[in-house]
Amino acid sequence: MGKITGFLEYERVDEPYIAVEKRLKNYKEFTIPLEEKKLKDQGARCMDCGIPFCHSGCPLGNLIPDFNDKVYKGRWKEAAQILHSTNNFPEFTGRLCPAPCEEACVLGINEDPVSIENIEKNIVEKAFEEGWITAHPPNIRTGKKVAIIGSGPAGLAAAQQLNRAGHAVTVFERDAKVGGLLRYGIPDFKLEKSIINRRMAILEEEGITFITNAHVGQNISIETIKADFDAVVLCGGATERRGIPIKGNHLKGVHQAMDFLKLNNQYVDGLISEDEILSAKNKNVIVIGGGDTGSDCIGTSNRHGAKSVTNFEILSKPSVGRPAHQPWPYWPMKLKTTSSHQEGVERFFSVSTKEFLGDKNGNLIGLKTVEVEWIFNEGQRPELRELPNTEKHWDCDMVLLALGFTGSEKTLAEQFGLEMDFRSNIKAATTDYTTNVPGIFSAGDMRRGQSLIVWAISEGRQAAHHVDKYLMGNSNLPLKDDNDLPRI
């Protein structure tokens, strides 16, 4: 490494945020970039640790010590080449990934880990700024045609990889714009949509065709897809939302989080008016679900001007530090406080919602909860028990259900004649992403279930290799742990 003693000399420094009262006035990203000298110092913190466990922590197998070293030395273009050798879209992961690599960082055993995610974001932003990221259409076309259904991170990664192999790739997206949950699920204050548009321009220039408002199985027939393409990759995500089967869940004011977030993103994009969103303005909002989607609802509600925002989580409150049963380098289930939490929310753990309350006109006016505890018995599933005499009434005008997803939509699988697994995902082999129908593959959340953006990109890349091999008999597309450095 360039700075053997860097981890002893420099402390971790994260990007600061614009003040809460200022950033709540708009939907723009609010991190303040570090100056280049501080970024180099952060790269210098990467240890000569012998075995870089960050590699195993990253589903993409990013060559993290290598690009950290280049950043320390100011060799940004080489850093960008190394980063793009394993990750098609570091501008997405550098903003949205929960950074399992940092939890696996050797320095993180007894110090703050290296700020890998922020270094990654700054590498790719520097590369765009300098004009190093340009389109590279393939020199030779194979004559093979591939359909990608779904334009989220898995679909986009598979599309770029297969296009690089020389295949004619068409991406079908049922929404009005490309990006999947990147476009319609992630708020702009976490990912401004110009970041997606910038990358889409590169992909289109490379020769990938994007068809929007194309709902395969509805306005585009399955027969057409089968007849026109030599292979199909299903990357439609895990979009079946988990509901809450309790009394009053039909009331006006009870909404799925993804409906709330999608409409707001469409409004920010100028596709609909403010009158068409699910507004939290002047409302007492309760968000049920303590994950990232719940956090996004909190940040969006505060930007609407909610009167109050409350967050329920049915699980017990995690510890602030790493739990003893989740030692390094494993991913720890510890308390997470996001920038949206810092903007204003009251959080409650071990709370189960029992009933929604409405007025005579069917409007939500409140809900009832009970406190719970989890009983853990070795070799058995955890048992949820309600605590007696803990029922409570809460006033609220809006409830947002951020309860995760139960699997992929069944219609597409049924129309293609595909098997599904016990978790309602498309059943595809972990070795080569093949389904029970020859020529049809699946990757990302549609195959593995609700997961991380970094896993989606990884699966898209891995699936592309096997699709290419299916079409051509062999493939030069890299698999995880291959170290060839392709063009940016």
Side-chain angles (χ1 to χ4, degrees):
M1 304 304 297
K3 186 74 169 176
I4 297 296
T5 59
F7 71 98
L8 297 172
E9 299 176 32
Y10 307 112
E11 294 183 352
R12 176 177 173 127
V13 178
D14 293 310
E15 288 183 336
Y17 295 156
I18 294 171
V20 170
E21 61 271 17
K22 290 185 178 180
R23 70 189 195 229
L24 288 183
K25 295 178 180 179
N26 58 62
Y27 294 95
K28 296 183 180 298
E29 294 181 21
F30 50 80
T31 56
I32 303 172
L34 298 176
E35 59 188 57
E36 186 166 330
K37 171 63 169 60
K38 289 185 177 179
L39 285 168
K40 289 182 178 179
D41 291 346
Q42 293 306 295
R45 295 185 73 238
C46 190
M47 303 170 65
D48 187 11
C49 56
I51 298 176
F53 279 81
C54 54
H55 284 193
S56 60
C58 176
L60 282 163
N62 283 343
L63 305 175
I64 294 163
D66 303 70
F67 65 64
N68 282 339
D69 180 57
K70 299 303 181 185
V71 167
Y72 164 67
K73 294 175 179 175
R75 293 156 65 173
W76 290 90
K77 188 171 185 178
E78 291 175 57
Q81 291 173 328
I82 293 168
L83 179 56
H84 278 87
S85 72
T86 56
N87 186 352
N88 299 67
F89 313 119
E91 67 271 34
F92 302 155
T93 55
R95 288 171 166 84
L96 303 175
C97 183
C101 55
E102 294 186 14
E103 295 296 345
C105 174
V106 172
L107 184 56
I109 295 174
N110 60 353
E111 297 286 348
D112 290 331
V114 176
S115 52
I116 299 167
E117 182 180 23
N118 189 47
I119 292 171
E120 179 179 316
K121 183 182 78 169
N122 279 275
I123 291 171
V124 67
E125 290 304 319
K126 178 79 168 178
F128 271 113
E129 179 184 329
E130 296 293 335
W132 299 331
I133 299 178
T134 58
H136 294 284
N139 294 322
I140 300 173
R141 289 291 181 182
T142 64
K144 302 292 186 179
K145 297 165 65 178
V146 181
I148 309 286
I149 300 177
S151 67
L156 294 178
Q160 186 171 46
Q161 294 297 97
L162 287 165
N163 185 69
R164 286 171 172 170
H167 307 306
V169 178
T170 301
V171 178
F172 294 89
E173 170 54 55
R174 66 182 176 184
D175 278 314
K177 291 190 176 182
V178 168
L181 286 185
L182 294 173
R183 174 81 62 179
Y184 291 116
I186 305 298
D188 283 63
F189 55 79
K190 289 174 64 175
L191 175 70
E192 292 183 24
K193 302 310 176 263
S194 60
I195 302 299
I196 303 175
N197 299 340
R198 180 178 64 181
R199 181 62 75 169
M200 291 307 102
I202 298 288
L203 299 182
E204 288 181 322
E205 192 175 346
E206 288 180 339
I208 299 172
T209 300
F210 293 95
I211 303 178
T212 55
N213 296 310
H215 196 162
V216 174
Q218 292 194 15
N219 60 358
I220 295 181
S221 71
I222 301 298
E223 290 71 24
T224 297
I225 297 294
K226 289 181 176 180
D228 292 351
F229 295 93
D230 301 294
V232 179
V233 188
L234 303 178
C235 301
T239 52
E240 286 289 352
R241 305 157 187 178
R242 179 176 284 107
I244 183 166
I246 62 174
K247 184 178 179 180
N249 62 2
H250 65 285
L251 291 171
K252 288 179 284 186
V254 179
H255 305 287
Q256 280 285 345
M258 294 313 302
D259 293 333
F260 175 74
L261 294 172
K262 181 176 181 178
L263 287 169
N264 197 76
N265 280 13
Q266 289 175 319
Y267 160 66
V268 174
D269 200 21
L271 299 177
I272 62 175
S273 69
E274 189 173 8
D275 294 337
E276 296 175 89
I277 68 172
L278 298 172
S279 178
K281 187 175 182 179
N282 297 324
K283 292 179 180 178
N284 294 308
V285 179
I286 294 180
V287 179
I288 302 178
D292 287 337
T293 301
S295 172
D296 294 343
C297 289
I298 292 165
T300 303
S301 295
N302 280 318
R303 282 163 177 75
H304 285 183
K307 186 184 296 183
S308 69
V309 184
T310 304
N311 186 207
F312 294 162
E313 170 57 67
I314 198 170
L315 298 176
S316 304
K317 186 176 182 178
S319 60
V320 175
R322 182 183 286 275
H325 67 285
Q326 295 169 339
W328 176 90
Y330 294 106
W331 175 258
M333 300 301 292
K334 59 185 181 180
L335 183 65
K336 181 179 181 181
T337 300
T338 69
S339 58
S340 290
H341 293 144
Q342 295 168 353
E343 292 165 0
V345 63
E346 194 169 7
R347 303 168 75 184
F348 296 88
F349 295 85
S350 300
V351 172
S352 177
T353 305
K354 299 297 292 182
E355 179 183 352
F356 296 119
L357 306 173
D359 62 18
K360 62 181 180 180
N361 296 316
N363 298 306
L364 176 73
I365 60 172
L367 56 77
K368 291 180 182 179
T369 64
V370 64
E371 294 179 20
V372 297
E373 66 175 350
W374 292 87
I375 308 299
F376 296 91
N377 295 309
E378 189 173 351
Q380 299 179 18
R381 296 186 64 177
E383 179 187 353
L384 181 66
R385 291 182 185 174
E386 297 183 1
L387 299 179
N389 304 315
T390 60
E391 186 174 287
K392 185 175 180 179
H393 175 277
W394 307 73
D395 293 329
C396 60
D397 311 292
M398 173 182 275
V399 165
L400 300 173
L401 304 177
L403 303 172
F405 302 87
T406 60
S408 60
E409 297 173 23
K410 297 179 181 180
T411 304
L412 197 62
E414 291 172 350
Q415 290 176 317
F416 273 110
L418 303 177
E419 296 177 359
M420 302 188 78
D421 65 19
F422 70 97
R423 296 185 301 146
S424 299
N425 301 312
I426 289 180
K427 189 175 183 179
T430 56
T431 52
D432 59 9
Y433 300 85
T434 54
T435 67
N436 60 298
V437 177
I440 299 180
F441 301 75
S442 186
D445 288 6
M446 200 168 209
R447 187 198 73 84
R448 67 180 288 117
Q450 179 184 352
S451 190
L452 307 177
I453 180 175
V454 69
W455 268 115
I457 296 173
S458 175
E459 292 231 338
R461 289 173 60 88
Q462 297 290 102
H465 172 95
H466 295 290
V467 173
D468 184 37
K469 186 175 180 179
Y470 166 79
L471 293 171
M472 306 302 294
N474 56 67
S475 178
N476 292 320
L477 291 176
L479 286 169
K480 199 181 300 183
D481 300 325
D482 286 353
N483 292 323
D484 292 337
L485 301 184
R487 297 163 297 183
I488 296 177

